């Protein structure tokens, strides 16, 4: 189908974009890479009167370092994140996870910030961002504010971004030297995961010193498997120890049931994929 008619705005600064959002309110929708928004418009599930395209705001693109933090602009395409050497060096988990997101065409158009703002519980970027303790910078009429990952994902397709606000950048604490792995379980290649697990571990002499584990599609938002993280700390990076710690991966989750698998199946998968992800991240 063809989308309903809308006016198209292409601001060249964040301030202009925020002003346009303020002017048009509920009638406006932000356009990033369009890989989730355009299908919604084409199916006429949403019919905004105004579409505000962020594509011409250069300051929203790119990856840079700020001390201990890696800053990823919201409009940085997945393909750029995937090939950026800073991301590979300091946020290996994101580097690995983004390779599994959709196909090359979608990674070329879709953006890191767009995927996070969309907040699909099956989206691949949420769990890695949450696991690494990212912070989200949001611009609105009153200036900018920063939201911690724990507070950013509110519910299914809902984040802390207000209707008059724009996500501008994602600040990821550097995890230089950490091992990482994203274990994604899919029925069909290049699709959203049934369940996926994002794991980053810091090891020393065969012992897991610290672990960060995020779960995709195990609830209405990405989740941290904090019980598993605590159980892994100080353990040897062996199959037996990791299997034991990973067995609690589904605790406190509320996975959906759908045609791809019921909630119990997903709970089982969470344990299996967590073991695989942690062992791979630890290089065991
Ligand atoms: C066939 C197909 C397969 C896919 N497979 C996967 C997959 O395996 N894994 C996965 O994670 N994703 C997958 N995706 C989705 C893909 O990751 C999209 O890139 C992403 O969901 C949206 O990013 P976008 O830049 O295209 O955002 P858009 O589609 O432009 O926007 C998405 C939503 O976020 C809002 N938004 C965007 N940017 C901002 C911002 N800066 N501030 C405030 N609001 C904003 C928009 O208003 C809109 O509501 C797939 C998409 C398709 C079409």
């Amino acid at each position: 189908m063809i989308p309903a008619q809308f006016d198209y705005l292409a601001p060249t600064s964040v301030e202009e974009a925020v002003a346009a959002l303020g002017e048009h309110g509920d009638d406006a929708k932000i356009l990033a890479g369009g890989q989730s928004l355009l299908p919604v418009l084409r199916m006429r599930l949403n019919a905004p009167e105004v579409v505000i395209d962020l594509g011409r705001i250069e300051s929203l693109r790119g990856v840079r370092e700020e001390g201990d933090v890696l800053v990823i602009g919201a409009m940085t395409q997945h393909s750029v994140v995937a090939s950026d050497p800073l991301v590979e060096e300091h946020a290996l988990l994101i580097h690995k996870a983004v390779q599994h997101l959709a196909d090359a065409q979608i990674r070329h158009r879709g953006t890191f910030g767009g995927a996070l703002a969309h907040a699909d519980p099956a989206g691949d970027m949420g769990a890695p961002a949450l696991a690494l303790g990212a912070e989200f910078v949001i611009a609105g009429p009153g200036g900018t504010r920063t939201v911690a990952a724990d507070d950013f994902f509110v519910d299914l397709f809902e984040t802390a971004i207000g209707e008059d606000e724009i996500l501008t950048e994602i600040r990821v604490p550097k995890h230089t030297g950490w091992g990482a792995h994203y274990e994604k379980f899919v029925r069909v290649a290049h699709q959203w995961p049934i369940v996926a697990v994002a794991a980053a571990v810091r090891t020393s002499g065969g012992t897991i010193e610290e672990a960060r584990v995020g779960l995709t599609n195990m609830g209405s938002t990405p989740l941290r498997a904090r019980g598993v993280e605590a159980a892994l700390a100080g353990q040897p990076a062996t199959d037996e120890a990791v299997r034991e710690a990973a067995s609690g991966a589904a605790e406190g989750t509320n996975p959906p049931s759908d045609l791809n698998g019921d909630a119990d199946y997903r709970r089982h998968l969470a344990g299996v994929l967590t073991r695989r992800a942690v062992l791979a991240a630890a290089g065991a």
Side-chain angles (χ1 to χ4, degrees):
M1 268 206 289
I2 295 172
Q5 194 170 354
F6 53 78
D7 285 338
Y8 173 80
L9 299 179
T12 53
S13 71
V14 171
E15 293 72 22
E16 261 182 66
V18 169
L21 261 186
E23 187 181 338
H24 298 285
D26 280 0
D27 298 329
K29 202 84 186 127
I30 292 289
L31 173 69
Q35 298 306 294
S36 295
L37 182 63
L38 289 184
V40 165
L41 300 192
R42 288 173 73 102
M43 286 186 276
R44 301 216 176 185
L45 297 172
N46 199 327
E49 287 176 16
V50 180
V51 167
I52 303 171
D53 183 356
L54 303 183
R56 294 193 194 159
I57 308 179
E58 278 308 314
S59 63
L60 294 181
R61 291 189 197 277
V63 180
R64 66 178 195 276
E65 287 176 282
E66 268 183 28
D68 292 341
V69 174
L70 201 61
V71 184
I72 304 177
M75 285 294 289
T76 310
Q77 292 115 306
H78 300 304
S79 55
V80 173
V81 173
S83 61
D84 190 283
L86 289 174
V87 177
E88 185 173 3
E89 185 178 356
H90 302 299
L92 184 63
L93 182 55
I94 291 173
H95 169 80
K96 293 238 172 134
V98 77
Q99 325 279 339
H100 292 277
L101 186 150
D103 56 42
Q105 280 173 307
I106 288 163
R107 289 198 294 273
H108 187 69
R109 298 290 312 182
T111 65
F112 191 57
L116 291 164
H118 189 53
D120 184 336
D124 288 303
M125 291 300 97
L130 181 68
L132 295 185
E135 292 186 325
F136 296 77
V137 182
I138 297 170
T144 59
R145 64 193 178 100
T146 302
V147 176
D150 284 337
D151 302 320
F152 181 76
F153 299 102
V154 175
D155 206 348
L156 207 69
F157 299 106
E158 192 184 337
T159 69
I161 306 170
E163 286 197 349
D164 54 356
E165 294 181 316
I166 291 170
L167 175 64
T168 58
E169 59 190 33
I170 299 91
R171 300 174 66 83
V172 185
K174 286 182 182 172
H175 284 70
T176 319
W178 285 51
H181 187 79
Y182 190 67
E183 185 75 17
K184 174 167 170 171
F185 192 81
V186 280
R187 198 164 52 87
V188 181
H190 305 311
Q191 277 294 349
W192 289 267
I194 297 173
V195 173
V197 176
V201 298
R202 186 167 59 78
T203 54
S204 171
T207 299
I208 297 173
E209 301 279 341
E210 208 180 332
R212 288 173 165 262
V213 180
L215 306 175
T216 306
N217 217 10
M218 285 298 289
S220 60
T221 65
L223 298 171
R224 269 293 276 281
R226 291 187 192 274
V228 175
E229 294 176 359
L232 284 169
Q235 294 296 320
T238 59
D239 184 60
E240 197 185 356
V242 172
R243 184 185 294 266
E244 173 66 25
S247 64
E251 271 167 29
T253 63
N254 186 20
S257 288
D258 57 28
L259 287 176
N260 287 317
D262 64 17
D264 278 343
Y265 178 60
R266 284 189 161 89
R267 286 189 195 97
H268 169 73
L269 275 180
V272 173
L273 302 180
T274 298
R275 176 175 60 82
R276 288 184 195 162
V278 171
L279 284 171

